[in-house]
Amino acid sequence: MALKIEDNCISCGACLPECPNDAISEGDPLYIIDPELCTECVGFHEDPQCAAVCPIDECCILDPEYKETQEELLAKKARIHPEG
Amino acid sequence: MRKRKFVLVEPKSTHLHVYSRYTIPRLGVILLGTMLRDRGWDVKVYIEDVSPVDMDEVLSADIVGVSSLTSTAPQSYRLGELVRSHGIPVVMGGTHVTFCPDEALEYADYVVRGEGEEALFELIDAMDGRGPFENILGLSYWKSGRKVHNPDRPLKEDLDSNPIPDYSLVEGWHSNAIISIATSRGCPFTCTFCSVPGMYGHGFRMHSIERVIEEIRINKPQYIFFADDLFTANRKRTKDLLRRMIEEGLTPQWGAQVRIETAFDPELLALMKESNCFNVFVGFESINPKTLDLFNKRQTYEKIVASIKKFKEVGIRIHGMFVVGSDADDKETIYETSRFAREYGLETIQLMILTPLPGSPDYDQFYATGNRELLSKDWSLYDGHHAVYRPKNMTAYELNVAAIDAMEEFYSWKTILQSVLRKDIISTIIQTSSKNLLKAWKKQNRDYIQGLRDQVFDKAKEVAVHRDVKLSYRIGVPRFILDAEIGKSLTSFMTELGISVVPFGGSSPDSGGGLTSRLDWLRGKVDCIVMPVMEKSGHGQEEIYDKIQRLWKSLPRQKEDLPAMVKLFLDRQDGSLYSSMAQIAAIFTKDLDKVHKAYRSIMPSLSGNEVLTHVPVESKPVILRV
């Protein structure tokens, strides 16, 4: 499941440098997560890093529209980072 | 060769305030002193809250640096003026002068705006003839009798390049009991009353964990106040820091400023407890949801309650920080806040009066633009304990009294006794001390409060002087005002107070006879005449604006024998309407609670009144320059 940024985002940008997949971009006015690039940090970290650094409660949350299994997320990671 | 001498001074506030009994040192002068010492200067650092300033030392300096908050600006300016009169150059820095450099330059040779650790040394080089003043970013200075403001300096990124502040430089510092350690600068939020992002930016800049650990190790404090504006802004990093503190066994008691979200991360909360977090200073700000929105606080009442329960579950003490007096607050909100704090068992609280601090979005939007008026420009009153503006739904007098009284209600013997019964010695001591402090505050500020009260009864006194008969409990109001929405609200308000409204004139000031004859007619029939004031003609209000202007123009010059006139401010964005209505009511009653109650009854009708519609202006940072 990819994460998404809710509209309570304060656009502080804390999440931007944390994403191992460069899935986050600065939108107008809120930051956006590209679900095609989000792997919930699987393979890199135990927890999604955007949520870990976000100062807002319930801002970076799982997006129910993009349900993926652990295997699918790992496959996505392998696709984004073919070098490993 | 004699070392050159640099004396740094952080003056203290002239008024008592919530932290008067507990000195939590600000770090600016200590850090700069450390850097100067490392570069070979003979340094003296005076934090006036710690020990008195030795003027012999100050006046033997080669350069004097003064750090100023808004509430300490007058003290800083007095010192600056004195030092300059002895021919010693004065450099000022700090939040207040960052946003008011023109004002500060009247008392200083140089003003360092924003963060000073780089600009100060470039300035010293320039003073020594090693470089031009023009290139120093963030510097304001005098050049050929004119004030010059160089462009702003970007915020410092590499915080670790600063040395660890050396507390031993502070004169009179003889205890490691409470130490401030800043692990970061900046706050990602934009609360409308706060000047922190204006000074330190929205970006969250951090010291490395290694560096923070070293700072704790060197200082060996009994209690650390993490002086970050928001200690848990980056929860991942805060957790990493706390883990390291636990691993290293460096776990003195500590406290920090946090938001309520901190309580909703169980892992963070557990680490805080394990690392010996003693108390959290939580910016609840308000229990009024409308006020939370006005403040752009981005939190809800329900989450405030939930966070308190979570902090209490793990046994972390809460110092509840509230700001009272927004446009959505009234007196009852303030007392309700105190009741709330008691009900949920907060250990300590502060009810700070909303204060338009230069550098805050509120100041830029409302006060620097002239949309709202400040009651006083005596900066020493800008300490959160004095009402310096007209709140919307109460008088400044009522706001000030309520804020202090509600705090007194919190720090009551009952609260203290409950702490005693819980065997909570620390709360007992702090609460008793706060109770005494509030008593002392009231004594110190009696004249100020009386002055605010006198403003409410200004017109009452005037009427009392002029009238030679008993009050008739009638007021004269132009008929065209009574025909408008505001007229209906005014009539309801007066009726609630047992006062009759007598219309005068026609539906417009020109209709039917001259104004003089109509005012003459009112003589003896009413106790005062209400004169509406509109400063701007808003959209859809052209007609009423025009009528008001004509009313004022047709006013006779000789007014001595007419009934007293009271201005009714219709379109100011602040609480002038309430203040003018209270002034009218105060002619007839001394019971301001009754007046407040009457106003509350008409509040719903006022909120829909176009004349009073609050028009938000886009907020842009403003640096005040003459």
Side-chain angles (χ1 to χ4, degrees), chain B residues 188-293:
Chain B
F189 291 85
T190 315
C191 299
T192 54
F193 54 79
C194 182
S195 60
V196 162
M199 179 79 181
Y200 297 106
H202 287 290
F204 192 62
R205 295 164 292 141
M206 297 168 276
H207 276 291
S208 68
I209 287 171
E210 213 54 57
R211 153 64 189 254
V212 179
I213 293 293
E214 185 60 17
E215 200 161 337
I216 301 173
R217 205 190 302 278
I218 284 176
N219 282 303
K220 300 184 192 69
Q222 288 168 19
Y223 176 96
I224 304 169
F225 175 69
F226 286 117
D228 304 38
D229 300 307
L230 180 52
F231 183 61
T232 51
N234 184 324
R235 285 177 287 131
K236 180 187 164 201
R237 182 259 187 181
T238 309
K239 287 177 195 173
D240 289 345
L241 170 61
L242 300 179
R243 277 194 203 98
R244 271 296 298 280
M245 285 169 62
I246 296 163
E247 279 165 25
E248 302 279 341
L250 291 169
T251 54
Q253 288 185 333
W254 64 270
Q257 297 191 89
V258 301
R259 281 177 58 98
I260 59 167
E261 288 88 350
T262 306
F264 305 133
D265 184 330
E267 189 186 17
L268 177 58
L269 215 47
L271 283 166
M272 286 169 72
K273 186 63 190 169
E274 198 184 339
S275 61
N276 212 8
C277 176
F278 177 74
N279 61 344
V280 279
F281 299 74
V282 191
F284 296 123
E285 319 307 0
S286 183
I287 57 163
N288 180 354
K290 285 182 186 161
T291 296
L292 290 170
D293 284 346

Side-chain angles (χ1 to χ4, degrees), chain B residues 69-123:
Chain B
L69 298 173
T70 298
S71 62
T72 60
Q75 287 290 81
S76 303
Y77 294 162
R78 270 191 285 275
L79 180 66
E81 206 162 30
L82 177 69
V83 173
R84 283 178 95 196
S85 72
H86 285 74
I88 303 166
V90 172
V91 186
M92 283 203 189
T95 333
H96 184 76
V97 302
T98 291
F99 300 108
C100 302
D102 269 313
E103 178 188 283
L105 276 176
E106 296 295 326
Y107 311 93
D109 301 280
Y110 307 98
V111 171
V112 173
R113 308 187 318 270
E115 297 172 334
E117 61 262 85
E118 285 169 1
L120 179 63
F121 293 96
E122 290 174 24
L123 171 62

Side-chain angles (χ1 to χ4, degrees), chain B residues 269-537:
Chain B
L269 215 47
L271 283 166
M272 286 169 72
K273 186 63 190 169
E274 198 184 339
S275 61
N276 212 8
C277 176
F278 177 74
N279 61 344
V280 279
F281 299 74
V282 191
F284 296 123
E285 319 307 0
S286 183
I287 57 163
N288 180 354
K290 285 182 186 161
T291 296
L292 290 170
D293 284 346
L294 283 177
F295 287 168
N296 194 29
K297 186 65 191 176
R298 292 169 173 267
Q299 69 189 22
T300 63
Y301 172 84
E302 290 73 22
K303 289 207 166 181
I304 288 175
V305 171
S307 74
I308 294 171
K309 288 177 181 164
K310 296 271 182 197
F311 282 125
K312 288 207 149 294
E313 270 168 29
V314 291
I316 293 176
R317 288 159 189 270
I318 302 171
H319 176 71
M321 303 194 291
F322 297 93
V323 176
V324 296
S326 85
D327 283 352
D329 284 357
D330 63 10
K331 263 179 4 182
E332 193 46 40
T333 320
I334 301 170
Y335 290 107
E336 190 56 46
T337 307
S338 174
R339 282 194 286 273
F340 170 91
R342 277 174 283 156
E343 185 186 337
Y344 285 97
L346 304 189
E347 276 77 12
T348 49
I349 61 163
Q350 60 185 53
L351 302 181
M352 305 300 264
I353 296 169
L354 180 62
T355 303
L357 292 173
S360 66
D362 265 354
Y363 192 91
D364 293 347
Q365 182 176 338
F366 296 119
Y367 298 94
T369 54
N371 284 327
R372 294 180 79 143
E373 192 189 0
L374 294 166
L375 296 176
S376 171
K377 270 281 194 115
D378 174 357
W379 297 122
S380 72
L381 300 171
Y382 285 58
D383 59 356
H385 293 320
H386 297 88
V388 292
Y389 67 100
R390 289 191 189 88
K392 206 132 197 171
N393 301 317
M394 55 197 141
T395 58
Y397 165 69
E398 289 168 304
L399 167 59
N400 219 138
V401 169
I404 299 299
D405 282 358
M407 265 200 285
E408 274 199 317
E409 280 186 16
F410 178 86
Y411 293 111
S412 64
W413 287 122
K414 192 178 168 191
T415 309
I416 295 166
L417 186 64
Q418 282 166 349
S419 299
V420 173
L421 293 175
R422 285 199 315 272
K423 294 181 181 155
D424 181 350
I425 297 165
I426 290 173
S427 289
T428 306
I429 293 168
I430 296 175
Q431 288 163 355
T432 309
S433 157
S434 300
K435 184 179 177 58
N436 293 334
L437 186 75
L438 285 163
K439 200 173 160 192
W441 187 96
K442 281 175 114 167
K443 201 174 165 192
Q444 189 190 60
N445 292 277
R446 195 173 287 148
D447 289 348
Y448 183 77
I449 296 293
Q450 186 60 42
L452 290 178
R453 191 174 191 277
D454 288 348
Q455 286 171 24
V456 183
F457 288 92
D458 240 11
K459 284 292 161 186
K461 276 187 196 149
E462 196 182 306
V463 171
V465 168
H466 284 102
R467 77 165 183 259
D468 47 7
V469 287
K470 262 179 67 181
L471 285 173
S472 64
Y473 289 86
R474 284 193 294 264
I475 59 168
V477 182
R479 191 180 300 276
F480 69 89
I481 288 293
L482 292 173
D483 291 343
E485 279 299 309
I486 183 66
K488 288 174 193 143
S489 303
L490 184 64
T491 306
S492 306
F493 173 74
M494 292 301 163
T495 307
E496 281 280 320
L497 294 166
I499 301 159
S500 306
V501 173
V502 179
F504 69 92
S507 53
S508 90
D510 298 334
S511 61
L515 183 71
T516 313
S517 62
R518 278 178 274 126
L519 293 178
D520 279 345
W521 175 78
L522 286 170
R523 190 180 298 133
K525 294 188 177 67
V526 297
D527 299 308
C528 74
I529 296 168
V530 174
M531 290 293 286
V533 178
M534 257 181 100
E535 289 168 348
K536 285 173 200 154
S537 170

